[in-house]
Amino acid sequence: MAGLTAAALAGIGFLTFQANASAPDHLAKAPHSPSASPSPSAGAHGSGGHGKKGDGGEEAAAAVPAGSGTGKRVVYALGAKRVWLVDESGKASRTFEVTPSTVDPAPGTYAVTSRAEGVLGSDGVRIVKVVRFAVTGGVAIGFSAAADGSTPPPDPGSRTGGVRESLKDADAMWDFANLGSAVVVVK
């Protein structure tokens, strides 16, 4: 069963890559270029806040969720609406809040199947730094940023898989999560 799932994900990733490669330039290329270095002000906590007083503050936000695996990986906590970029030593090099999509991936371990500099999102918003890692109910799930930097909640009546990040956080994700990189989804 696991072999079939892996083969299906690889096939979907390949087809997505082919579709993106054959897209017209105005859809396949993003106006936003990758940053050469991480944001100096982001530090280990990214740009997505540091928690609230009384809930553990920065330490709670920086703690990588228990049971999220080992080694280099992206950890996405559905309930916390937060992502951690975890290095080989198991420490979070960056963490930030995200705006979830309307379709969530099931908790588990995935791999990045495709990436795109820029495309038109299923919600009609131009998105950049797209890092896809799952398909749920026919909906591709991935991290991305709106080209204009906005992060409004998605229309609850639509089926979208875009987990939205700020532009700075999308740059960090893009630099961190290459094809095949592990993405661990936890509750």
Side-chain angles (χ1 to χ4, degrees):
M1 183 82 152
L4 289 174
T5 301
L9 286 174
I12 290 167
F14 177 74
L15 292 173
T16 303
F17 173 78
Q18 281 188 320
N20 185 54
S22 65
D25 282 347
H26 72 281
L27 293 177
K29 304 295 180 216
H32 180 73
S33 61
S35 72
S37 62
S39 168
S41 63
H45 302 289
S47 63
H50 303 294
K52 297 175 184 155
K53 280 193 172 184
D55 69 354
E58 291 184 25
E59 291 176 25
V64 177
S68 66
T70 60
K72 182 179 177 184
R73 64 200 183 279
V74 174
V75 178
Y76 173 32
L78 298 170
K81 301 176 187 175
R82 180 170 287 278
V83 167
W84 290 259
L85 305 182
V86 182
D87 64 23
E88 293 84 1
S89 71
K91 304 284 185 196
S93 60
R94 186 181 186 96
T95 184
F96 49 91
E97 293 176 341
V98 294
T99 301
S101 58
T102 60
V103 178
D104 287 334
T109 300
Y110 301 87
V112 173
T113 56
S114 68
R115 294 165 28 110
E117 281 279 345
V119 296
L120 190 61
S122 59
D123 58 359
V125 174
R126 176 125 178 97
I127 55 175
V128 296
K129 305 294 173 74
V130 182
V131 176
R132 296 179 199 91
F133 64 91
V135 175
T136 300
V139 176
I141 311 289
F143 303 106
S144 63
D148 67 3
S150 64
T151 57
D155 174 3
S158 64
R159 291 182 43 80
T160 63
V163 180
R164 294 289 163 81
E165 314 161 296
S166 73
L167 288 169
K168 287 181 184 179
D169 294 333
D171 282 343
M173 176 70 76
W174 184 260
D175 291 342
F176 186 86
N178 296 312
L179 286 175
S181 293
V183 178
V184 179
V185 177
V186 298
K187 291 182 181 182

